[in-house]
Each structure stands twice: as structure tokens, then as C-alpha cells.
Amino acid sequence: MMYSSRRKPVLYFKDDRSFLSRKCTVWKLFGLCMLFVLGSLLLVQLTCSGDMSQAVGYSHLPHQPCPVERPSSSADDPSWGPHKMALIVPFRERFEELLIFVPYIHTFLNKKKIRHKILIINQLDHFRFNRASLINVGFMESGNDTDYVAMHDVDLLPQNEDLDYGFPNEGPFHVASPELHPLYHYKTYVGGILLLTKKHYQMCNGMSNRFWGWGREDDEFFRRLKAADLKLFRPTGITTGTKTFRHIHDPAWRKRDQKRIAAQKQEQFKVDPEGGLTNVRYKVESRQEVIISGAPCTVINTFLECDVSLTPWCQSS
């Protein structure tokens, strides 16, 4: 339910002097208490769903969904098959996109009967954004109940139900392939949405941790796939072209960090032969089980660490 910036949900009682003058009975007091309880529950529900923040005109501010106990979810129905996906979303401060993404992808995967859990890896430190390291953290924290991962951007929504999110047994499966992605069309592109078994991700030693700021980590990971002798697969028979995905990022509102600092311009094109899962450094500050418009997800609040002697460009200046 939406309210204008000047309105709030409130409880109104008729000014009935005869009622107030009468002797209060136990039942009248009970009725009043129940009305207050129901009003409070309504207020909490509106706040958790984000409707309240929009009502007072603060929809652009970070919105934290209310932590609740996770209910039994069809996202983990064993009758759907033996495999379960850890959908890893590297994240920082893009709450408007998150509120759209989580319920959308949860519904999309449920329709396809894909067992899954959604992990939001939220970077809390003051270093520049590091998508690759956050994906490594998501892999490390994904638990033993999943056997494959989806590296998934928060601003990319699949629009075609024929897209395959199933277990990539034969090799890494690039869902957001160059001919389907709305923005990136070069042949070696493997970003956006990429599925790998956990075994294959480990064979690559994960992703390089040297990429602070926006871009290039996917190109380096493509080289890792080749070095591990893993064959890359992409969708076939999809006829929706570049309309296959909806890209919800607004560059005017949230600009990408494309700065190249110190030696970063030269280093960004080099292969990182040793870095990855074996040397990712981080601390999990907390884990929160939240529900966004009925869709469960786990927010893993993370502090990344940076050795400024090796990658001084992790800092903004």
C-alpha cells in the first residue's frame, strides 16, 4: 500500500462522548488493545517492505529489510533435484536495485524449479569495490549444502524463461552471453551471470583479488578458465537477443568507479597466477537472514583487507 509523503497509516477513533462516559468494561479494553496491536503490526509490515520509506520521500536512502526467521521455502524443495545453487551477489550500497532483484530472481528460479539460496556479499570497508574478492568470499561462505555457484550481478534481470540456470555439469555456463547481454558484446566476455560447479571454481583458484574499482576482473577470469582447460558453454536457441535481460543500473544516479590509480593501468591487463581463493583476506562482520517482498536471502556483511604494498590502488587516492 502506498502513501503520499504527507500521510502515514494511523488509527482513528470516533469521538463518542457517550462511549467515553460509560463505564469501561473488560471487553471494551480488550478491543482497544487489539486495535493498537493490529495497527502496530501494520506499521512494522509497511516499514519492512519499503513502502514506508517511499511514503515519506526517502526511497533513495539505504533500506534494511527486517531480519526475520527464515520460513520453509520452495527454493529448497528436494523434489526439484539433487543440485543446489549458491547465487552470489557482490554488493555495495545499491539498495534500490537489491529490492527489485531478490524477489524477482527468487520467483524466476522457483518457476524453473531450481533449488537455490541467495547470498548478498555486502562490502563494508572503506576500500574501493572489489567484485572478484566478494565473489571469492561468497564461495567460501556458501556452505556444504550447495554444489554450484552463480556469479550474478545485482542489476541484471533475466527476461526469458528459457534461460538455463541448472547444474553446469559439462563446464562453466555463461548465461549472460555476449550476443544476449544488453551492453557487452565482445567474445571473451564472461561477466554478468556465470554458473560454475564448485569443483570447477576451485580448479581456477577462484578470481583474482587484485581488481579494485570497476572492471577487468572478468577478462582475467576468462584466462583462468582457459588455463584450467575448462570449456565454456553459452545459451543456444534464445531468440530474444539483447532484450533477454533487463539492465536496471542507472549510471547517472550511481556512477561506476573506473579510475586507474598508480600502476593499476598497467597491472589490469596482467594475469594473476597465484591470487584467488588461496589468498583472499576478509572478515565477516555479521550474517543476516532477511526477507524482501517474500523472498529469503542471506546478507553477509564483509570487511575486505588490502595489502597496500601489493595493490596500492585499493585506496581511493
Side-chain angles (χ1 to χ4, degrees):
M1 183 180 297
M2 301 295 296
Y3 296 90
S4 71
S5 59
R6 296 180 181 273
R7 293 179 58 189
K8 294 181 181 179
V10 295
L11 294 176
Y12 293 95
F13 298 97
K14 185 177 180 182
D15 186 9
D16 189 345
R17 297 181 183 275
S18 62
F19 172 81
L20 293 173
S21 63
R22 294 172 187 168
K23 184 178 181 181
C24 292
T25 65
V26 174
W27 289 110
K28 289 176 183 177
L29 290 174
F30 177 78
L32 287 173
C33 290
M34 288 300 297
L35 285 174
F36 279 115
V37 169
L38 291 174
S40 299
L41 290 175
L42 175 62
L43 185 63
V44 170
Q45 177 62 31
L46 289 172
T47 304
C48 293
S49 66
D51 289 344
M52 187 61 67
S53 62
Q54 294 177 6
V56 296
Y58 294 123
S59 60
H60 64 285
L61 294 178
H63 168 69
Q64 297 284 1
C66 297
V68 297
E69 294 184 6
R70 183 189 297 273
S72 58
S73 172
S74 57
D76 195 19
D77 188 339
S79 68
W80 290 355
H83 302 294
K84 184 176 178 181
M85 171 204 299
L87 192 146
I88 301 171
V89 182
F91 179 81
R92 174 185 264 176
E93 296 179 348
R94 292 163 70 172
F95 294 96
E96 298 87 354
E97 296 170 9
L98 189 69
L99 293 175
I100 297 172
F101 175 81
V102 170
Y104 183 92
I105 198 66
H106 176 68
T107 301
F108 184 89
L109 294 174
N110 278 350
K111 286 182 179 179
K112 298 180 68 62
K113 297 186 176 181
I114 301 293
R115 296 177 64 195
H116 64 279
K117 65 179 180 182
I118 302 172
L119 305 178
I120 312 299
I121 316 303
N122 183 29
Q123 185 175 341
L124 295 180
D125 55 78
H126 296 293
F127 296 119
R128 300 171 72 194
F129 185 67
N130 192 322
R131 177 178 179 270
S133 288
L134 294 176
I135 292 173
N136 285 339
V137 172
F139 180 88
M140 301 286 284
E141 299 294 325
S142 60
N144 296 323
D145 60 333
T146 58
D147 54 1
Y148 71 112
V149 298
M151 302 151 54
H152 210 301
D153 287 351
V154 72
D155 58 9
L156 204 58
L157 306 180
Q159 304 292 293
N160 190 324
E161 293 186 2
D162 291 333
L163 289 168
D164 188 2
Y165 274 74
F167 186 73
N169 185 53
E170 296 181 342
F173 185 72
H174 188 209
V175 181
S177 59
E179 67 274 11
L180 303 178
H181 196 283
L183 296 177
Y184 307 116
H185 310 300
Y186 58 95
K187 293 182 179 180
T188 59
Y189 176 68
V190 292
I193 310 167
L194 181 65
L195 312 182
L196 298 95
T197 67
K198 285 193 166 182
K199 177 182 178 180
H200 289 161
Y201 194 77
Q202 288 176 319
M203 287 172 60
C204 298
N205 191 24
M207 303 185 77
S208 171
N209 300 300
R210 295 175 61 84
F211 292 86
W212 301 87
W214 183 81
R216 297 297 182 185
E217 75 283 344
D218 295 324
D219 298 335
E220 201 273 348
F221 191 67
F222 177 80
R223 299 180 184 181
R224 291 182 177 229
L225 295 175
K226 292 185 65 178
D229 200 25
L230 291 172
K231 184 177 180 180
L232 181 67
F233 293 85
R234 286 179 167 138
T236 59
I238 302 296
T239 60
T240 44
T242 55
K243 295 182 179 180
T244 303
F245 300 95
R246 179 185 168 204
H247 192 243
I248 60 175
H249 179 74
D250 183 358
W253 169 250
R254 196 176 299 280
K255 297 184 182 298
R256 301 190 188 279
D257 178 9
Q258 297 181 339
K259 293 179 293 185
R260 296 296 180 256
I261 299 172
Q264 186 179 12
K265 182 176 289 187
Q266 293 76 34
E267 294 289 331
Q268 66 182 339
F269 296 105
K270 295 181 180 179
V271 176
D272 181 7
E274 299 178 356
L277 291 173
T278 52
N279 71 346
V280 61
R281 297 164 54 190
Y282 70 97
K283 176 185 177 182
V284 172
E285 192 269 341
S286 64
R287 299 172 70 104
Q288 291 180 296
E289 305 294 321
V290 303
I291 290 182
I292 302 175
S293 299
C297 66
T298 302
V299 178
I300 303 178
N301 295 308
T302 305
F303 286 91
L304 297 179
E305 298 179 14
C306 171
D307 187 341
V308 295
S309 66
L310 296 176
T311 55
W313 52 85
C314 66
Q315 299 175 324
S316 295
S317 60

